[in-house]
Amino acid sequence: MTGIAGLNKKHNFVLTIRDADVVAAALRQALAEAPPEERPGLERAAALVESSAAAEESRLRARWVRSRLAAVGFHGEITSVAAVKALRRAEPKLSLLAAVQLQREASAHPE
């Protein structure tokens, strides 16, 4: 995920977009047509995609926050004021309220 839609100065809602269901369907199709020697790898890949698809949205947002902080070179404490500033530097359209809410989610879901 490269971004989270819906965050700006006027809106603080977050719409998480995932396409894991499309990937899972493609893997199931490939698994149905696979020769026996390819099945173990495809079965493992399908299991990984399904577990990723089951991840709750707050964990996905927490992962997104960490990736955005890393993109601007932030390596400090995620609960700090500096983390909020770095997140807003990474995503300039992010309101202060949205940045703080995302920071709280990220700190609630440690890596």
Side-chain angles (χ1 to χ4, degrees):
M1 173 178 17
T2 59
I4 294 184
L7 294 175
N8 62 42
K9 301 279 185 196
K10 294 182 183 179
H11 301 98
N12 290 318
F13 65 90
V14 176
L15 173 64
T16 307
I17 301 171
R18 297 187 281 182
D19 59 358
D21 57 336
V22 175
V23 174
L27 281 171
R28 282 192 298 275
Q29 179 65 34
L31 189 55
E33 300 168 355
E37 64 272 6
E38 291 180 7
R39 292 188 64 74
L42 287 170
E43 288 170 350
R44 176 71 176 132
L48 287 171
V49 168
E50 288 170 4
S51 69
S52 175
E56 58 189 53
E57 289 186 14
S58 60
R59 285 196 186 279
L60 294 173
R61 286 190 293 271
R63 193 179 314 148
W64 179 82
V65 167
R66 285 189 179 81
S67 73
R68 300 311 302 139
L69 290 173
V72 293
F74 180 80
H75 300 292
E77 180 61 40
I78 199 154
T79 59
S80 68
V81 172
V84 173
K85 289 180 181 179
L87 184 55
R88 292 187 75 202
R89 189 170 60 249
E91 294 293 327
K93 291 184 179 181
L94 207 57
S95 72
L96 178 59
L97 178 60
V100 169
Q101 289 173 340
L102 288 166
Q103 175 200 37
R104 287 181 183 156
E105 282 190 354
S107 62
H109 296 287
E111 291 182 74

